[in-house]
Amino acid sequence: RGAVGRGRGVKSMSKSMRVVLLGPGLVGRAVCNLLKSSRSTHAARHGLDFKVVSLVDSSGYVATKEGLSDEVISAALSWKQDGNKMKDFSKGGAAAEMKAAIAEIGLDSSTCVIDCTGTDATTPFLVDALAKGCGVVTANKKPMCCPYTDYAKMMQTPTKIGFESTVGAGTPVVHTLNHIIASGDNINRIQGALSGTLGYLMSGLQEGKPYSEVVKEAHGLGYTEPDPRDDLGGMDVARKALILSRLWGSKLEMSDVKVEPLFPERFASLDIPEFMSSLPELDAEFAQKVSDAESSGKALRYVASIDEKSCVVGLKAVDKESPLGRLSGSDNLVEFYTDIYGEKPVVVQGAGAGDAVTAVGVVADLVRVSQ
């Protein structure tokens, strides 16, 4: 009986899919490694054979129509890891020649473009790739937060685009929202903690640590960006919130999302050392916010709150016994409140960052859009 179970779903023929990878950095490297280690599983269970035909960074590319060998991919990724540009790789070409090289490879239904960059400059390329019948998978949030007109173009073929890793890395937040929508259940609101860095900060504050101490601790451990304001400003959470809002059905723009930064406007113009040395000025204010929440039986969290008409990102006191209230550490957690589930929401929790976890979301999406 066990043998029969293991044999179910095995495919006898493999469909070849060409992969163009934009952004061969840390996440891109993890994606390539996972594709290599999962090759036999993808063939046996899904009938898919993925061939990486191009690696592209902002300087240039390496590409071949037949597919890059594992040795070339490994060498190119190591070249990038050492701080070099793709255009200077032994088999590489400059950005000016990239359009012709990609055209020679061909963008069609047998090709999937993966975006592991962090720029909105890839948006036109992704829109064009989808129009040509390609699959598109993005871990990059910015294209999904583009002007709504471009977003609508990309979503004309929803089965050909995957963006699980834009919210919660590989934790299936986007999948769960799609699942609820497909069921016909009516969603009333969504709220979640969508930043591991800010989750770490909130946990530290709840333990009684001063705001300045926890920020400096997170910065020293590498949990924040080099400039902690990139995390404390809330824009990363705002992008994730907008992605969920649009998937639910809104036509909101990035400018419609209300964002509460965790530092005053006067701190925005300081250089990084000045910013870090000024943080103790905020300790009393944040200690009071935590105390106010505690006195009413609540816990302070940095929350994305989404309903049908609005998207708000900022500090919120939540019930201590709620899933968000019990959350500690750097995990992401999202609560989906619906008619059928009532006040006991569907809850998704897991690691919200990490190269390997993000790659899991990317590759799972790649399989889906390729079938």
Side-chain angles (χ1 to χ4, degrees), residues 260-300:
E260 176 190 0
L262 295 181
F263 58 87
E265 192 174 339
R266 69 179 188 277
F267 279 32
S269 59
L270 302 177
D271 62 26
I272 296 174
E274 287 174 327
F275 173 76
M276 298 300 285
S277 65
S278 299
L279 287 173
E281 296 177 30
L282 306 177
D283 287 348
E285 177 188 343
F286 278 95
Q288 188 61 52
K289 289 177 186 290
V290 172
S291 176
D292 290 345
E294 289 274 358
S295 64
S296 56
K298 294 182 181 293
L300 198 64

Side-chain angles (χ1 to χ4, degrees), residues 40-173:
S40 59
T41 300
H42 289 150
R45 293 187 68 89
H46 306 291
L48 293 169
D49 176 27
F50 295 111
K51 296 182 185 298
V52 178
V53 294
S54 184
L55 300 173
V56 182
D57 71 5
S58 58
S59 76
Y61 68 96
V62 57
T64 171
K65 195 170 186 176
E66 296 74 31
L68 302 170
S69 68
D70 290 341
E71 292 74 23
V72 169
I73 292 171
S74 180
L77 292 173
S78 295
W79 179 259
K80 280 290 295 180
Q81 192 173 27
D82 290 340
N84 300 304
K85 296 180 178 179
M86 199 57 71
K87 71 179 179 66
D88 300 322
F89 182 63
S90 59
K91 299 179 184 296
E97 305 155 8
M98 187 176 69
K99 192 171 182 180
I102 297 294
E104 186 177 333
I105 289 172
L107 293 178
D108 56 31
S109 60
S110 66
T111 309
C112 187
V113 177
I114 298 177
D115 185 356
C116 292
T117 72
T119 174
D120 58 7
T122 58
T123 304
F125 184 72
L126 301 185
V127 171
D128 183 58
L130 284 162
K132 288 184 165 82
C134 297
V136 163
V137 174
T138 180
N140 177 11
K141 292 178 278 293
K142 291 182 180 177
M144 304 311 296
C145 298
C146 63
Y148 186 81
T149 51
D150 286 333
Y151 174 85
K153 288 176 186 175
M154 289 193 286
M155 294 302 288
Q156 284 177 352
T157 51
T159 59
K160 298 294 287 183
I161 186 168
F163 47 97
E164 183 66 73
S165 292
T166 60
V167 183
T171 303
V173 176

Side-chain angles (χ1 to χ4, degrees), residues 176-193:
T176 302
L177 179 52
N178 269 321
H179 181 80
I180 295 170
I181 292 168
S183 75
D185 190 5
N186 183 59
I187 300 168
N188 298 309
R189 61 189 172 97
I190 302 168
Q191 67 175 14

